[in-house]
């Protein structure tokens, strides 16, 4: 008497519900359509965010008017305990003569 | 023909670990020759052998994995552990520079004027280019996620599009930072402020360049059909590294650019 019931149960278990079967092999974990969401996020949020930041920099920039700070020979600045291994050893790698004074003062004064 | 009875990868003998170690010796001694004896020869030799080692070692890994099929799931698992552990080691590397920054800035010495930023230091405005840099890297995190999902869904064209946007954003960041480096009124020799600023942001910039290079290699591998929708660990490793670079920038921005101003 248990056997036909058991047979029916095992047949139920053997069938796999078609809607539950997801055609993805191990390793893949994205749901379909999520690339579409990230594409939308990229074009409508991320890149416009960059654009707004660029605009902000442009609007805030005041090129030309450079009231550079007066030169005071503070001992904790322009430290030269050892010469730099390039050029004359007295200029930093990204030296900008307009805004970076040497230990003796601005070069273009 | 003999077959291995396990799924692991017994790598063939390779000369690249030796050439790598030798290149490290040449680079370190080369730096000494440059700093103390004004000679660049050893350093250039070291950089060249280092580049050659990296190129050939990773080329061989691609041959073993993509072309010869040695990267079974368990081998891939080991590679994942390896990349995660490497990134953790990089976290500790940056932790050192953040330690130095906080050590110096939380209790500024009298030599600096007892204040932070030190007397005579005019820091960059965090709401200008540094904020733009933040938006650029955050955007690149979004675009690389788009690239990954496109790859998972088998959309080749979109993956290439998304990855190229990511790489271009990385290059844009690098260019912006380089321009900032020329524009700052302070230099690396300007007290511990300059030291901590340029060491931390400098190494970060180097990691952006490394990450962009890694992503570019993934781009060319995708062009050559190396990746499948469920096996693309090289890309995942590059993406993890890129997110790590982004997170380090966020810490830099909040600590040094924002709080530190």
């Amino acid at each position: 008497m248990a056997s036909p019931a058991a047979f029916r149960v095992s047949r139920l278990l053997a069938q796999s519900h078609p809607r539950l079967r997801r055609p993805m092999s191990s390793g893949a974990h994205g749901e379909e359509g999520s690339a579409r969401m990230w594409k939308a996020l990229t074009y409508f949020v991320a890149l416009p965010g960059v654009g707004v930041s660029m605009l902000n920099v442009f609007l805030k920039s005041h090129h030309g008017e450079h009231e550079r700070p007066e030169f005071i020979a503070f001992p904790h600045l322009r430290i030269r305990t050892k010469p730099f291994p390039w050029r004359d050893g007295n200029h930093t790698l990204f030296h900008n003569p307009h805004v970076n004074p040497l230990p003796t003062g601005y070069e273009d004064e | 023909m003999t077959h291995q009875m396990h799924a692991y990868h017994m790598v063939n003998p390779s000369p690249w670990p030796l050439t790598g170690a030798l290149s490290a010796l040449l680079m370190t001694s080369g730096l000494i020759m440059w700093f103390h004896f004004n000679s660049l020869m050893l350093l250039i030799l070291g950089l060249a052998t280092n580049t050659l080692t990296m190129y050939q070692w990773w080329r061989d890994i691609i041959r073993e994995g993509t072309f010869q099929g040695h990267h079974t799931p368990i081998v891939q698992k080991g590679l994942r552990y390896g990349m995660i552990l490497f990134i953790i080691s990089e976290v500790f590397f940056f932790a050192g520079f953040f330690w130095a920054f906080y050590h110096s800035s939380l209790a500024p010495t009298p030599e600096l004027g007892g204040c932070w930023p030190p007397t005579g230091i005019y820091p960059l405005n965090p709401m200008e280019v540094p904020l733009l840099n933040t938006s650029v890297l955050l955007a690149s995190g979004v675009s690389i996620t788009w690239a990954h999902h496109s790859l998972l869904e088998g959309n080749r064209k979109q993956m290439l599009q998304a990855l190229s946007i990511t790489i271009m954003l990385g290059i844009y960041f690098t260019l912006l930072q380089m321009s900032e480096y020329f524009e700052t009124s302070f230099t690396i020799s300007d007290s511990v402020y300059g030291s901590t600023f340029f060491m931390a942001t400098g190494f970060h910039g180097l990691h952006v360049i490394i990450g962009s290079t890694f992503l570019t290699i993934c781009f060319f591998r995708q062009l050559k059909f190396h990746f499948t929708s469920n096996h693309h660990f090289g890309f995942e490793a590059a993406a993890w590294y890129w997110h790590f670079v982004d997170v380090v920038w966020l810490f830099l921005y909040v600590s040094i650019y924002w709080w530190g101003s």
Side-chain angles (χ1 to χ4, degrees), chain A residues 25-36 38-39 41-43 46-47 49-51 53-54 56-57 60-63 66 69-70 74-80 82-86 92-96 99-101, chain B residues 34-36 38 111-112 118-122 125 127-129 131-132 135-136 138-139 141-143 145-146 148-150 152-153 158 161 165 169 172 178 181-192 198 229-230 236:
Chain A
S25 32
S26 64
H29 44 270
E31 10 158 318
E32 269 103 56
S34 56
R36 211 170 120 240
W38 286 103
K39 180 178 180 180
L41 280 170
T42 302
Y43 282 121
L47 292 178
V50 171
S53 303
M54 284 170 75
N56 175 52
V57 166
K60 282 212 177 126
S61 78
H62 14 83
H63 264 293
H66 264 295
E70 73 163 298
F74 287 117
H76 66 288
L77 303 181
R78 275 89 47 180
I79 295 174
R80 295 288 189 273
K82 177 203 275 150
F84 292 108
W86 50 77
T92 60
L93 197 58
F94 294 90
H95 179 77
N96 179 345
V99 289
N100 301 136
Chain B
W34 185 37
F35 288 158
H36 296 277
N38 197 30
E111 288 86 351
L112 304 173
T119 311
I121 296 278
Y122 302 95
N125 185 343
M127 295 305 158
E128 290 180 14
V129 174
L131 185 62
L132 171 58
S135 70
V136 166
L138 286 174
V142 174
S143 60
T145 309
W146 171 27
H148 191 194
H149 282 262
S150 304
L152 289 165
E153 291 175 19
Q158 278 200 22
Q161 195 185 113
I165 290 174
L169 287 169
Y172 186 36
M178 265 181 62
Y181 270 27
F182 277 109
E183 291 300 314
T184 56
S185 59
F186 56 88
T187 69
I188 195 172
S189 61
D190 287 328
S191 79
V192 71
F198 285 104
S229 60
N230 57 10
E236 288 184 68

Side-chain angles (χ1 to χ4, degrees), chain B residues 79-95:
Chain B
L79 292 169
R80 285 175 191 274
Y81 275 126
M83 191 66 195
I84 289 167
L85 289 169
F86 173 65
I87 291 177
I88 291 173
S89 78
E90 294 252 77
V91 168
F92 282 108
F93 178 72
F94 278 97

Side-chain angles (χ1 to χ4, degrees), chain B residues 65-127:
Chain B
T66 306
F67 302 145
Q68 295 179 338
H70 286 289
H71 290 179
T72 60
I74 191 139
V75 171
Q76 203 191 108
K77 192 155 178 241
L79 292 169
R80 285 175 191 274
Y81 275 126
M83 191 66 195
I84 289 167
L85 289 169
F86 173 65
I87 291 177
I88 291 173
S89 78
E90 294 252 77
V91 168
F92 282 108
F93 178 72
F94 278 97
F97 294 113
F98 278 99
W99 185 342
F101 168 72
Y102 278 110
H103 173 98
S104 308
S105 59
L106 284 167
T109 62
E111 288 86 351
L112 304 173
C115 53
W116 193 273
T119 311
I121 296 278
Y122 302 95
L124 295 166
N125 185 343
M127 295 305 158

